[in-house]
Amino acid sequence: ETGVTQTPRHLVMGMTNKKSLKCEQHLGHNAMYWYKQSAKKPLELMFVYNFKEQTENNSVPSRFSPECPNSSHLFLHLHTLQPEDSALYLCASSQDLPGANYGYTFGSGTRLTVV
Amino acid sequence: KQEVTQIPAALSVPEGENLVLNCSFTDSAIYNLQWFRQDPGKGLTSLLLIQSSQREQTSGRLNASLDKSSGRSTLYIAASQPGDSATYLCAVSFSGSARQLTFGSGTQLTVLP
């Protein structure tokens, strides 16, 4: 384990379902991120949270809804997804403060399949 | 547009060989550069982090260099082993991007026993 834990590891959902992905970090970092990794494409940044506040929404469709109740937990709520949303969803955290090294730590990801 | 490019996309070498993976980026104004390893279907494992003020970092058989002026980084793997087989990703935090990472497409490495 890297210190960033994601659950579930695998998820299969229908297009009318509602589900949530969870990410938890025990590193004392203040910034958390959601990335999407599709086959044959570079990782795409989706959302950024810094001290629980969303600082970046990278033109993500509204069927993806993030939630950050505190600096240690990050959720991604999913509803009415499309098959092309099937991907590996990765959570990361970093210490984004002056004097920090800003290195990212990633979780193991959630493999999402939309049927 | 700030971009990160990795060459080659795939590489196959016999065990024991020394090898170099390349990463190039379009803007020399960066906070840092980070190399990751990803095994199939898994998350990313951080290998080395180089700050913009540094020229290289070393960890065991791995050595990463950074040349900001030319927009290049290399990851050198010494005495490669089959267990090194994975996809290696280069990611750059560009200045002005609030320290968000921009990823390359990765180099898929296979080390043959």
Side-chain angles (χ1 to χ4, degrees):
Chain A
E1 288 293 337
T2 64
V4 178
T5 304
Q6 289 188 243
T7 55
R9 297 293 293 269
H10 301 273
L11 178 62
V12 180
M13 59 185 290
M15 290 188 285
T16 59
N17 291 160
K18 288 184 179 181
K19 297 286 184 181
S20 296
L21 309 184
K22 179 182 177 182
C23 177
E24 185 174 357
Q25 58 97 2
H26 307 282
L27 301 169
H29 290 167
N30 63 287
M32 297 187 75
Y33 313 82
W34 280 116
Y35 278 84
K36 175 183 178 182
Q37 188 177 36
S38 304
K40 307 298 183 185
K41 293 175 67 175
L43 273 79
E44 303 171 66
L45 177 66
M46 299 176 71
F47 300 104
V48 180
Y49 278 82
N50 201 321
F51 287 111
K52 306 189 305 178
E53 300 298 322
Q54 187 179 123
T55 58
E56 184 78 19
N57 176 338
N58 203 21
S59 303
V60 180
S62 60
R63 57 186 184 270
F64 295 91
S65 175
E67 178 190 1
C68 188
N70 55 61
S71 293
S72 300
H73 294 85
L74 184 64
F75 296 89
L76 188 62
H77 303 299
L78 315 171
H79 64 97
T80 60
L81 294 191
Q82 305 298 312
E84 60 264 29
D85 296 322
S86 299
L88 181 67
Y89 288 84
L90 291 160
C91 174
S93 70
S94 71
Q95 187 70 343
D96 190 15
L97 292 171
N101 69 14
Y102 308 120
Y104 280 42
T105 301
F106 278 82
S108 299
T110 294
R111 172 67 63 185
L112 173 67
T113 303
V114 181
V115 298
Chain B
K1 183 182 178 185
Q2 295 166 328
E3 294 182 342
V4 179
T5 303
Q6 290 187 248
I7 295 173
L11 180 64
S12 183
V13 300
E15 182 177 4
E17 202 165 283
N18 302 326
L19 58 99
V20 174
L21 307 181
N22 296 295
C23 172
S24 61
F25 43 96
T26 53
D27 188 344
S28 62
I30 69 171
Y31 287 117
N32 59 46
L33 184 146
Q34 200 164 357
W35 282 94
F36 295 90
R37 167 188 174 138
Q38 186 175 31
D39 293 287
K42 301 292 181 62
L44 276 63
T45 300
S46 180
L47 298 173
L48 290 164
L49 169 67
I50 310 177
Q51 304 295 340
S52 62
S53 59
Q54 298 173 324
R55 296 297 298 270
E56 67 177 347
Q57 283 287 327
T58 298
S59 176
R61 294 183 293 109
L62 305 179
N63 176 278
S65 68
L66 174 64
D67 184 344
K68 281 193 306 179
S69 61
S70 64
R72 295 179 188 277
S73 175
T74 61
L75 179 66
Y76 175 83
I77 303 177
S80 58
Q81 304 170 358
D84 294 330
S85 299
T87 296
Y88 289 81
L89 295 163
C90 172
V92 177
S93 177
F94 290 103
S95 299
S97 68
R99 287 178 282 280
Q100 296 159 19
L101 288 181
T102 300
F103 280 85
S105 298
T107 294
Q108 186 174 354
L109 173 66
T110 303
V111 180
L112 303 169

